[in-house]
Structures are given as C-alpha cells and as structure tokens.
Amino acid sequence: MFLDTPLYRCEALEPGLGCAVSIKLETANPVRSFKGRGTEVVASLLAEHGPRAVVCASAGNLGQALAWSGRGRGLDVTVVASRHATVAKLDRIRALGATLELVNGDHEMARDRAVAIARYEGIRLVEDSLDIETCEGAATIGLELVDTVPAFDAVLIALGGGALATGVGHVVKALAPGVEVICVQPLGAPAMTHSWRGRRVVTTESTDTIADGVAGRRPLRAVLDDLLLVADDAVLVQEASIVAGMRMLLDHAGLVVEPSAALGLAAVLEDRDRFAGRHVVTIVCGSNVDVDAYHRWVGAGSLRGS
C-alpha cells in the first residue's frame, strides 16, 4: 500500500534546473504522504501487543496516516493539532475516524498536549521522528532509492522533525555512502538546520512559512544526534523558491504538491551551480494542500496548455 512508490526520471523538469532529476513520489497512496510507512509499523505492533489507544501531535499528515492505519486495526486514535493547521488535513483526519483535538497555539503546543494526554490516560504516544517506527518507515524509502539504476549523486530531503531525513539518510549512508544527503528547510522555520550547523539544539520563538509540514520550533536532541550522523548538508530556502518549485512540479510533472514537497526543487533553484550536471533525487513527500491556498500560491492558470 505504501511501499514501492513510483520513482522516475522527470526530464521535463531538467531544462529549468540544469541537472538530471528523479522524483520519488510519496503521494501515491491513500493518505497522500510518506507518513503511512511509519504508522503502519506502529499500528501493526499495537494491534498485536496493545494498548489499543494511541495519541499523536500532527501538523496534519502524521495524523491522517495514524488515523488510516489505526482504523483498519480497530485502534482508538486521538490526534492533537493546531487550530491553524491546514483545514483540508484536519477534515481528512476527522473523516478517517480519529478524535481530533485542536489547540490554540502552534505544533509545539500540540506536542505538549499530546504528551499530557498520553500520560493522563495511559495510552501510547507516537512522537514523530523520536519513535523508531516513524524513522524505520522513512528508511524504507532509502532502501527503495539505493536499489535503483542508474545511480544518483544526491538526495534532497525535506527537513522538519527529522524522521524522513534520518530514516532515509541512515540507509543511504550505509548502502550508498557516496551519495550526498542534503536536507532542506524553509528560512522561516530554520530550527533544525541551525541545530545541525551548531551541533546543539537551537529553538526559535516562532515560524513563518507556507511549508506547514516542516514548521517546527523545538528540535529533539535525540533526533539531532541522528541527523548529525547522516546529513552532509542542511540548507535554507526562501518562500519564493518553494512556490517556484511547486509551480514547476505542476507545470512540468503534472503534480499538485504541498509546499514541503517542493523544498528539494527550491534548493536546486537557489544553487544551480552546485547541482549542475549531477543526478539528484527529490522526495515528493506530501500533497495534502488546501486548494484555495494552493491557487493563491501557484496561480489557478499555471498549468501550461490548459
């Protein structure tokens, strides 16, 4: 269901980027993001060994995935999210049968609330990027990447809490050590990148980015330690470049993606010389986007020839 997602070279993108580009399409599944890879592991273990109730904090994609995986196994799923999260993501969490609790603050406040619920009710807390199952799920992407031919030179990974980057990064560095692992984060949500660069946890007071899926303020020390082992670089990109990447994926690949999924292309757009003549893989990690917001960012008439 979530494994063996499409991976293909997208030559239509290449003239605008100046390098060979392959896409790992992690949106071709029932929850339209890579998060189901990890929640399937979590839910399977809980269904076998209990407890039957589970809670997580989510910007939207993890919550959908956990709700989907839990529903099929009879688990009681609670998702805590910010009231300001993408409406389409929240609606889908409800539609999948999870209990949704909204907090008035940001994702970090939702995380604190999820911890409190788990402690008070004695149920399983799923912490994205910290729980090994979420990283193992992401690691399966890495396994699928290194099995590909021809070889690629770099993999561009959206960086938020770190599950995707550490999971993919560990596999790539173990099995294809010559491949450069490059993490990409918005300038408006730079906490993990600053932490990686400084080799210590750096928190920020706020975030300001359309890439809601990676908009964290408080990196986890254990996740940073893992990231330091596997990431070759961590770069920050501007909002305009994220939008340009989204527009390119629509115009040249026919893909509607959420901002986090365009971070890889944004990195190439901002540093073409670095990637010139190389073969890069970008992980298109999610496509759960509010339609009205998407049109505002990308433009309703963007698709050429329509």
Side-chain angles (χ1 to χ4, degrees), residues 204-266:
T204 60
E205 289 297 315
S206 61
T207 60
D208 183 16
T209 178
I210 62 172
D212 60 296
V214 295
R217 295 188 293 107
R218 298 196 321 241
L220 299 170
R221 177 72 232 189
V223 182
L224 173 60
D225 288 345
D226 279 343
L227 193 67
L228 288 168
L229 294 174
V230 299
D232 293 302
D233 200 3
V235 301
L236 297 170
V237 296
Q238 301 175 60
E239 297 294 290
S241 301
I242 299 173
V243 171
M246 294 170 69
R247 188 174 293 120
M248 288 186 75
L249 286 165
L250 176 63
D251 287 348
H252 303 297
L255 298 174
V256 174
V257 305
E258 60 189 84
S260 300
L263 287 168
L265 291 195

Side-chain angles (χ1 to χ4, degrees), residues 14-276:
E14 296 176 0
L17 296 172
C19 62
V21 181
S22 290
I23 287 173
K24 183 62 169 165
L25 190 63
E26 287 299 303
T27 62
N29 61 57
V31 297
R32 290 160 51 177
S33 83
F34 77 96
K35 299 288 189 181
R37 290 178 181 256
T39 60
E40 283 290 273
V41 178
V42 172
S44 295
L45 292 172
L46 289 176
E48 292 175 9
H49 307 295
R52 306 292 298 181
V54 60
V55 60
C56 74
S58 175
N61 285 344
L62 177 68
Q64 289 180 76
L66 189 59
W68 191 91
S69 296
R71 184 184 65 175
R73 295 171 176 85
L75 303 181
D76 180 8
V77 177
T78 298
V79 178
V80 186
S82 169
R83 195 174 302 279
H84 309 294
T86 300
V87 173
K89 293 180 179 180
L90 300 180
D91 287 346
R92 189 63 184 148
I93 291 169
R94 292 188 187 97
L96 287 166
T99 298
L100 179 64
E101 179 175 327
L102 301 178
V103 298
N104 288 322
D106 61 8
H107 177 69
E108 308 303 342
M109 185 174 290
R111 196 163 77 186
D112 291 343
R113 176 59 182 159
V115 170
I117 290 172
R119 184 180 299 121
Y120 179 76
E121 298 187 9
I123 63 177
R124 168 67 189 273
L125 171 68
V126 174
E127 288 198 83
D128 200 17
S129 306
L130 187 60
D131 280 21
I132 190 65
E133 296 95 337
T134 62
C135 300
E136 287 176 344
T140 59
I141 299 172
L143 290 171
E144 292 166 19
L145 288 178
V146 298
D147 281 343
T148 62
V149 179
F152 51 96
D153 304 303
V155 57
L156 300 164
I157 310 173
L159 179 61
L164 184 61
T166 57
V168 173
H170 272 293
V171 171
V172 170
K173 283 304 171 189
L175 301 180
V179 173
E180 191 175 18
V181 174
I182 303 171
C183 304
V184 190
Q185 207 165 31
L187 272 166
M192 186 62 95
T193 295
H194 287 330
S195 299
W196 181 86
R197 291 175 178 176
R199 305 187 71 84
R200 62 180 181 85
V201 172
V202 176
T203 63
T204 60
E205 289 297 315
S206 61
T207 60
D208 183 16
T209 178
I210 62 172
D212 60 296
V214 295
R217 295 188 293 107
R218 298 196 321 241
L220 299 170
R221 177 72 232 189
V223 182
L224 173 60
D225 288 345
D226 279 343
L227 193 67
L228 288 168
L229 294 174
V230 299
D232 293 302
D233 200 3
V235 301
L236 297 170
V237 296
Q238 301 175 60
E239 297 294 290
S241 301
I242 299 173
V243 171
M246 294 170 69
R247 188 174 293 120
M248 288 186 75
L249 286 165
L250 176 63
D251 287 348
H252 303 297
L255 298 174
V256 174
V257 305
E258 60 189 84
S260 300
L263 287 168
L265 291 195
V268 178
L269 288 170
E270 291 196 7
D271 198 354
R272 293 169 193 265
D273 288 346
R274 175 178 186 172
F275 299 101

